[in-house]
Amino acid sequence: MASWDCLCDDEGCDAGVMLAAALGYSDAEYSETVGRTGVLNKQDVADALDVLLALSSRDRVKRLVMGHPELLIMGFELPAWLDFLTSYGIRKGDFFRLLSSNTALFTRSSVYNAGLVIQYLTQLGLTQRDIAASIVPRCASLLSLDPQRQLAPVVALMAAELGVNLQEQVVHLIAKCPVLLTLSVDQQLRPRVEYLRSLGLSNAEVSAVAVDVPSLLTSDPEPQVAPALRFLSLQCGLGRTGALRVAAACPSVFCLSAGNLAAKWCFLSSQMGCGPTELSAYPPALGTSLLNETGPRFVFAAQKGQLHRFEAAAAADAGVLAAGGGGGRGAAADGGAQHAGGAAGESRLAAGEAQAGGAAGGEGGSAATAVACEPSDSALPHHRNGGGKSGSSSSSSGSSVGSGGRTPGTVLDLGRLLDSSIHEYLGVVGGDDDEFQAARFAWQVSDGRSWSGMVTVFDPANNGGVGGVGRATGSW
């Protein structure tokens, strides 16, 4: 029996005495609590304290109930919530945190309603793991909504407006971003879908973009979309239609900062000699980590003198690159006809380009110059072949990497270079995994740090078995 229980055995013990014994409440603190909750029932307080003190320390419980005294009047409902959520895999420590971050769920909703919501979600195809790992931690307030009046219309819009499959994409989208189910169909979701469609994206592309980057539906998409499209159109030299094709095939560009896009494009264009042709053939190049993948793979192939293994004759670039497959290349090629008639999208992009202030000015221009296209200490040769349009100037460092340089008059198959497994990649360039990992780390802590702006962290305890060589951190 808890020590505060012993002090409350007699009939004269009230909630104030109980809180003083259990949590060290002063008279002033109790008066403040009663002022916010009204008269406290002894049994309700006892039920709440039984649960809370079993979950955490006395000090943390006191801070919680001082900040949310309404928890003290929940009575038997609090232990009922605990039993209900832990039965779905929610840990007790997470339940305690939810009491602070989502107090309204427990004080304004009910276990019964939460059960109806979870039943509806499981009927859609979500698993108990989805409930415990995604729904409750990311959007616990979802459990307070009416499944038929508030959740079902959102799911219907996903099927009708986005054309997503109920058993696969809708489930994936809800698990990835459960807050979508809390939004208004008419005031938030439908206008945002219409905005994406008005750019010239097909229904299938709007669906793919929304599933990949759900933040475009949870908030106004224009601040994310417009700068990225201007950058692709102006700085990458893709034009309006090409920018849409690349963005549709690699929606993650909408999540990247201007500096991130600029650094990757500057490296692709000034160091790798790539231009709009290569980027259109493999849009995911902009979503690939420059620090961990693009830079190390290109440099290692150059050191091995094997860059020519990833090249194709420029005259046949479209056919050769499209035939190579790879994530996003087919999507980029298939999107051409769909974008040809995107009049509304063309006008929006045209307006965006006008605001950008021309090829060198405005937001697009500043984005391209946010990261220098050639770090002063770069050990890479200048591999431009005249095929790219970076939108900013760069100069050759005059040094070389091994014996491998770009062959004039060719295009680089970025899909084959970046989209293959490490085993397949090394099968083309030669060398073993230890050699590549050592070269990767050497580049990450030198040129890679200059290009990406990321600090490379070396953890000797996690060296991958390569004699002290570690992996760099960061999303670049």
Side-chain angles (χ1 to χ4, degrees):
M1 180 179 291
S3 59
W4 57 268
D5 254 345
C6 297
L7 297 177
C8 293
D9 286 339
D10 60 274
E11 293 295 327
C13 177
D14 60 14
V17 175
M18 187 178 295
L19 288 170
L23 304 179
Y25 258 53
S26 66
D27 290 343
E29 289 170 334
Y30 179 70
S31 296
E32 178 185 345
T33 297
V34 171
R36 295 171 62 183
T37 63
V39 177
L40 290 172
N41 177 275
K42 173 184 173 181
Q43 188 58 53
D44 288 344
V45 172
D47 289 340
L49 290 176
D50 280 339
V51 171
L52 297 176
L53 288 170
L55 296 175
S56 193
S57 68
R58 178 184 181 187
D59 289 341
R60 291 188 64 195
V61 170
K62 182 176 181 179
R63 287 197 297 270
L64 175 65
V65 296
M66 285 292 293
H68 304 280
E70 60 269 31
L71 293 173
L72 295 173
I73 62 177
M74 290 187 63
F76 69 90
E77 294 181 21
L78 197 57
W81 272 109
L82 175 63
D83 292 342
F84 174 75
L85 290 178
T86 53
S87 72
Y88 280 95
I90 303 300
R91 294 177 299 183
K92 291 184 177 181
D94 293 332
F95 176 78
F96 187 84
R97 284 187 285 273
L98 284 173
L99 290 173
S100 176
S101 61
N102 292 274
T103 310
L105 167 66
F106 303 101
T107 59
R108 299 178 186 177
S109 186
S110 66
V111 172
Y112 175 75
N113 190 83
L116 293 178
V117 171
I118 290 180
Q119 182 182 45
Y120 177 79
L121 295 176
T122 54
Q123 288 173 347
L124 286 179
L126 278 82
T127 65
Q128 181 170 318
R129 179 180 176 82
D130 293 327
I131 303 298
S134 178
I135 302 299
V136 174
R138 295 183 182 181
C139 190
S141 61
L142 189 63
L143 301 181
S144 66
L145 302 183
D146 184 300
Q148 297 306 317
R149 288 194 308 106
Q150 294 172 287
L151 306 188
V154 177
V155 174
L157 176 135
M158 291 179 184
E161 300 287 334
L162 299 179
V164 293
N165 182 287
L166 282 177
Q167 291 302 314
E168 296 178 8
Q169 288 180 299
V170 165
V171 170
H172 171 75
L173 190 53
I174 292 173
K176 184 177 182 179
C177 188
V179 72
L180 282 172
L181 290 179
T182 69
L183 303 180
S184 165
V185 167
D186 294 325
Q187 297 180 14
Q188 295 171 307
L189 288 173
R190 185 168 285 119
R192 291 164 188 172
V193 171
E194 286 301 321
Y195 169 79
L196 295 175
R197 191 176 289 132
S198 73
L199 294 172
L201 296 173
S202 69
N203 288 340
E205 288 169 335
V206 170
S207 174
V209 167
V211 169
D212 202 54
V213 189
S215 61
L216 296 179
L217 298 181
T218 60
S219 60
D220 181 7
E222 189 167 7
Q224 288 179 265
V225 171
L229 291 181
R230 282 200 294 270
F231 183 88
L232 294 173
S233 177
L234 295 173
Q235 306 307 313
C236 298
L238 293 168
R240 294 187 293 270
T241 299
L244 281 170
R245 290 171 59 189
V246 167
C250 183
S252 62
V253 298
F254 295 132
C255 302
L256 303 178
S257 68
N260 187 300
L261 283 173
K264 289 174 178 176
W265 176 244
C266 284
F267 189 86
L268 287 167
S269 59
S270 69
Q271 297 302 298
M272 297 175 65
C274 296
T277 297
E278 288 97 336
L279 184 56
S280 296
Y282 188 69
L286 288 176
T288 303
S289 171
L290 172 60
L291 189 64
N292 290 328
E293 297 298 336
T294 304
R297 286 194 179 213
F298 176 75
V299 171
F300 189 68
Q303 291 172 343
K304 288 290 189 178
Q306 297 298 319
L307 281 178
H308 65 279
R309 304 286 296 274
F310 301 97
E311 294 174 335
D317 56 0
V320 173
L321 295 184
R329 279 173 284 173
D334 293 340
Q338 296 168 345
H339 291 304
E346 298 282 325
S347 63
R348 285 178 179 271
L349 279 176
E353 291 183 13
Q355 293 172 2
E363 186 172 348
S366 63
T369 57
V371 177
C373 271
E374 183 99 24
S376 59
D377 59 349
S378 175
L380 287 170
H382 185 63
H383 284 308
R384 290 281 291 175
N385 290 316
K389 175 185 175 185
S390 68
S392 58
S393 61
S394 60
S395 59
S396 173
S397 66
S399 59
S400 63
V401 176
S403 59
R406 284 293 309 279
T407 305
T410 63
V411 292
L412 194 63
D413 187 345
L414 292 174
R416 191 177 185 212
L417 178 67
L418 303 176
D419 201 34
S420 58
S421 68
I422 188 63
H423 176 75
E424 294 169 332
Y425 167 78
L426 291 175
V428 174
V429 302
D432 57 30
D433 186 63
D434 287 357
E435 184 182 4
F436 173 69
Q437 297 299 342
R440 186 210 300 258
F441 182 69
W443 186 80
Q444 287 170 336
V445 298
S446 55
D447 280 0
R449 183 162 50 186
S450 300
W451 276 102
S452 70
M454 297 291 291
V455 175
T456 306
V457 177
F458 170 52
D459 179 5
N462 184 26
N463 58 34
V466 190
V469 176
R471 286 293 302 277
T473 63
S475 60
W476 286 54

